């Protein structure tokens, strides 16, 4: 009756595959000290891929392992590639002013205000625009051609990230930078239109997974500040598509409670079963303990799914908390993901109402009610006053449904056990009352 869940794999680009080879060679040549695998998959080509590959294959190699010398590899990289980050240009955000009018009116302490203004000034440092070259010849870049200006997390993360954008937007709204906030949402909608979901980040090697789904929360926050109905009109179809993605066959799991009631919940489930290109050398080393190809593939799938959770990497996803190779992200129903999807359902209902679309509003209020019940039936633990992640008995097997067992709740304490308190719906009962009483 049960069948093995197939892992859908979203193929990457020939450029990413080639850059992984360069990455591996660089590790052999330059050694582990200060090695950052991501740097190599962020390089962009100066010439076309076949010419570059030909030159790479022609590099002189020596010794048993065919090592390339430091000098030859440095020369090859300088000749054939632009530096990582060269394809993203510094950008002056249109709505940035050094001290916005009405900035954080409740913050009176002068030192805290000065610090807040320093943080505010970071928006200028972190704003970028994808260069025209990426749009003209996308095959030379792993950076994706987003249409609008972007705000990047910074440091080695020189592309847009999905869930980082939520906090970026919260900050931008405090800084009164509404246009920049809307541009970020436009980019994320572009990703949904192009791929069917918001990618982990705007790189060709991130197309196989998403990240904690907070797009609806971004639209909701912006609408509350700006009352921009056009933004809502543009966003709603993308939000409906994203909701379908997180409830798709691979993400959705049904749990039957003791009363025989079925509850649908979602899990992280990347569409990938190979090393992550941005950390390929590290992932291969971690997987070297497994002998069979299918065990390796399962492990890679769970690594990419942990990256999809935004919690890469936490003991939360491990069967044995001291052994990384027991990572089993896809066999866990996470509290936080389901709360984000519940929030998405409530936001969609709210936004549909803004557009006068009553049918969508009603169907999403119903979906939210069902998920709230599922969260309380499957995750809530009255004795401990928390919502716990739920371990599936056999996550890789697709069954019609699985019967709830108390022993499958992971009773370790993580911040995510309290995420339901983010949603007003949970304030009147359970954890909130419990926390107030304990306090
Ligand atoms: O701030 C950006 C993100 O940084 C971390 O994850 C990202 O880097 C990983 C390795 O380079 C990659 O595998 C992962 O998919 C990326 O999202 C952090 O864990 C994320 O929470 C954060 O969004």
């Amino acid at each position: 009756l049960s069948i093995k869940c197939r892992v859908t794999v979203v193929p990457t680009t020939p450029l990413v595959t080639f850059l992984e080879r360069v990455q591996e060679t660089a590790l052999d040549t330059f050694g582990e000290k200060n090695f950052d695998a991501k740097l190599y998959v962020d390089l962009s080509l100066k010439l076309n891929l076949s010419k570059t590959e030909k030159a790479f294959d022609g590099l002189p190699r020596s010794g048993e392992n065919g090592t390339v010398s430091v000098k030859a590899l440095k020369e090859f990289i300088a000749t054939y590639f632009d530096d990582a980050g060269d394809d993203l240009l510094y950008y002056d955000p249109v709505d940035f002013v050094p001290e916005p009018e009405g900035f954080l009116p409740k913050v009176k302490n002068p030192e805290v205000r000065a610090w807040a203004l320093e943080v505010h000034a970071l928006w200028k440092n972190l704003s970028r625009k994808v260069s025209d070259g990426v749009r003209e010849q996308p095959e030379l870049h792993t950076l994706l051609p987003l249409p609008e200006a972007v705000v990047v997390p910074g440091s080695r993360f020189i592309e847009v990230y999905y869930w980082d954008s939520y906090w970026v937007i919260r900050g931008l709204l405090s800084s009164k930078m509404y246009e920049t906030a809307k541009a970020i949402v436009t980019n994320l909608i572009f990703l949904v239109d192009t791929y069917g979901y918001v990618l982990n980040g705007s790189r060709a090697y991130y197309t196989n997974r998403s990240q904690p789904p907070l797009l609806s929360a971004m639209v909701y926050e912006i609408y509350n500040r700006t009352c921009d109905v056009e933004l809502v009109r543009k966003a709603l179809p993308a939000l409906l598509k994203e909701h379908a993605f997180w409830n798709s066959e691979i993400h959705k799991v049904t749990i039957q409670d003791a009363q025989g009631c079925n509850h649908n919940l979602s899990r992280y489930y990347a569409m990938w079963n190979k090393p992550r290109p941005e950390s390929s050398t590290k992932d291969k080393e971690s997987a070297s303990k497994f002998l069979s190809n299918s065990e390796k593939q399962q492990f890679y799938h769970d690594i990419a799914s942990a990256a999809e959770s935004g919690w890469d990497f936490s003991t939360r996803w491990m069967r044995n908390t001291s052994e990384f190779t027991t990572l089993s992200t896809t066999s866990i129903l996470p509290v936080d993901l389901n709360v984000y999807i519940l929030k998405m359902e409530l936001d969609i209902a709210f936004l549909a109402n803004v557009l006068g679309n009553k049918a969508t509003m009603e169907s999403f209020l119903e979906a939210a009610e069902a998920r709230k019940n599922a969260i309380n039936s499957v995750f809530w633990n009255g004795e401990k006053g928390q919502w716990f992640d739920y371990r599936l008995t056999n996550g890789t097997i697709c069954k019609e449904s699985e019967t709830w067992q108390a022993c499958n709740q992971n009773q370790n304490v993580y911040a995510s056990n309290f995420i339901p308190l983010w949603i007003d719906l949970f304030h009147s009962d359970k954890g909130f009352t419990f926390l107030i009483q304990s306090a």
Side-chain angles (χ1 to χ4, degrees):
L1 277 178
S2 56
I3 46 155
K4 267 243 178 228
C5 270
R6 69 193 153 78
V7 178
T8 320
V9 172
V10 173
T12 182
T13 62
L15 175 58
V16 172
T17 309
F18 168 63
L19 291 174
E20 280 184 82
R21 290 178 59 211
V22 177
Q23 180 193 76
E24 203 160 348
T25 305
L27 179 61
D28 287 343
T29 300
F30 302 137
E32 274 180 21
K33 201 165 171 247
N34 300 327
F35 181 77
D36 182 359
K38 183 174 181 299
L39 184 87
Y40 297 92
V41 288
D42 291 351
L43 295 171
S44 45
L45 296 176
K46 283 182 180 164
L47 305 172
N48 70 34
L49 180 59
S50 63
K51 276 189 191 142
T52 312
E53 261 186 306
K54 207 164 159 212
F56 180 72
D57 291 336
L59 285 175
R61 293 175 179 266
S62 62
E64 252 177 48
N65 299 335
T67 311
V68 178
S69 73
V70 170
K71 185 170 173 286
L73 190 58
K74 276 190 175 167
E75 261 172 32
F76 166 74
I77 291 174
T79 312
Y80 287 91
F81 297 100
D82 284 322
D83 282 344
D86 279 2
D87 42 12
L88 260 189
L89 312 174
Y90 274 87
Y91 178 76
D92 246 339
V94 286
D95 45 4
F96 178 85
V97 290
E99 188 156 2
E101 219 183 293
F103 181 62
L104 300 180
K106 290 186 188 151
V107 179
K108 304 284 181 219
N109 179 306
E111 270 176 64
V112 180
R113 279 198 77 76
W115 175 79
L117 281 169
E118 267 177 49
V119 175
H120 163 75
L122 291 176
W123 300 133
K124 244 173 118 74
N125 299 348
L126 297 172
S127 291
R128 304 279 188 286
K129 181 105 192 147
V130 175
S131 74
D132 289 342
V134 179
R135 254 178 292 279
E136 283 153 16
Q137 289 181 290
E139 70 285 1
L140 303 185
H141 305 263
T142 60
L143 190 71
L144 301 177
L146 293 180
E148 296 289 336
V150 304
V151 175
V152 298
S155 181
R156 62 197 284 273
F157 296 117
I158 44 175
E159 50 278 314
V160 165
Y161 282 81
Y162 183 8
W163 80 324
D164 301 52
S165 297
Y166 173 71
W167 289 284
V168 168
I169 284 179
R170 293 290 300 262
L172 289 170
L173 294 179
S174 294
S175 289
K176 319 268 177 197
M177 293 173 66
Y178 306 127
E179 292 314 308
T180 303
K182 286 181 201 173
I184 294 177
V185 164
T186 302
N187 285 331
L188 301 183
I189 293 174
F190 166 83
L191 291 175
V192 179
D193 290 345
T194 313
Y195 298 93
Y197 43 93
V198 184
L199 308 184
N200 180 150
S202 57
R203 287 276 175 191
Y205 52 79
Y206 283 145
T207 55
N208 57 62
R209 58 180 181 267
S210 187
Q211 251 197 337
L214 291 167
L215 179 58
S216 72
M218 301 181 210
V219 178
Y220 178 86
E221 297 286 342
I222 299 177
Y223 176 77
N224 268 343
R225 292 292 187 100
T226 63
C227 294
D228 185 342
V229 178
E230 270 325 294
L231 178 78
V232 175
R233 211 181 300 286
K234 210 164 76 177
L236 194 60
L239 293 177
L240 296 176
K241 219 175 189 182
E242 189 185 39
H243 185 264
F245 169 76
W246 285 105
N247 288 286
S248 74
E249 196 196 320
I250 56 172
H251 296 103
K252 193 175 81 179
V253 175
T254 307
I255 303 290
Q256 190 169 77
D257 67 19
Q259 287 70 45
C261 236
N262 280 341
H263 300 284
N264 292 329
L265 288 160
S266 303
R267 60 177 163 182
Y268 289 109
Y269 208 86
M271 292 163 287
W272 194 242
N273 60 4
K274 295 174 212 168
R276 289 165 305 152
E278 75 283 9
S279 296
S280 180
T281 44
K282 214 196 280 162
D283 287 0
K284 277 186 199 151
E285 195 190 317
S286 309
S288 60
K289 150 168 186 196
F290 295 107
L291 298 177
S292 78
N293 214 21
S294 67
E295 281 174 313
K296 281 187 203 286
Q297 286 184 348
Q298 179 59 46
F299 179 57
Y300 291 141
H301 184 209
D302 282 309
I303 292 188
S305 303
E308 184 173 54
S309 79
W311 283 54
D312 36 328
F313 288 98
S314 164
T315 53
R316 192 180 161 200
W317 309 124
M318 298 173 206
R319 275 193 303 274
N320 167 357
T321 54
S322 50
E323 180 50 61
F324 184 59
T325 52
T326 65
L327 206 67
S328 49
T329 325
T330 55
S331 305
I332 293 169
L333 292 177
V335 174
D336 48 357
L337 173 62
N338 285 285
V339 170
Y340 300 142
I341 300 174
L342 167 61
K343 168 91 168 96
M344 188 192 300
E345 288 158 350
L346 293 168
D347 292 340
I348 291 177
F350 172 86
L351 299 167
N353 190 39
V354 166
L355 299 181
N357 183 341
K358 298 281 177 221
T360 303
M361 179 190 85
E362 275 158 23
S363 84
F364 275 83
L365 284 178
E366 252 174 54
E369 182 61 24
R371 195 170 299 263
K372 186 200 170 195
N373 289 338
I375 289 174
N376 280 335
S377 304
V378 176
F379 299 141
W380 174 247
N381 184 310
E383 211 177 293
K384 297 278 161 84
Q386 296 168 43
W387 289 267
F388 290 124
D389 288 343
Y390 187 83
R391 278 194 181 284
L392 299 168
T393 311
N394 196 339
T396 57
I397 303 289
C398 279
K399 288 197 205 158
E400 288 226 309
S401 76
E402 192 171 311
T403 308
W404 186 86
Q405 295 177 62
C407 62
N408 284 356
Q409 287 190 330
N410 174 357
Q411 297 213 2
N412 293 326
V413 180
Y414 308 102
S416 51
N417 295 4
F418 301 97
I419 289 191
L421 300 179
W422 186 38
I423 310 279
D424 289 348
L425 274 182
F426 291 97
H427 284 195
S428 54
D429 50 35
K430 308 230 177 223
F432 196 61
T433 319
F434 187 93
L435 282 185
I436 299 285
Q437 282 164 358
S438 327

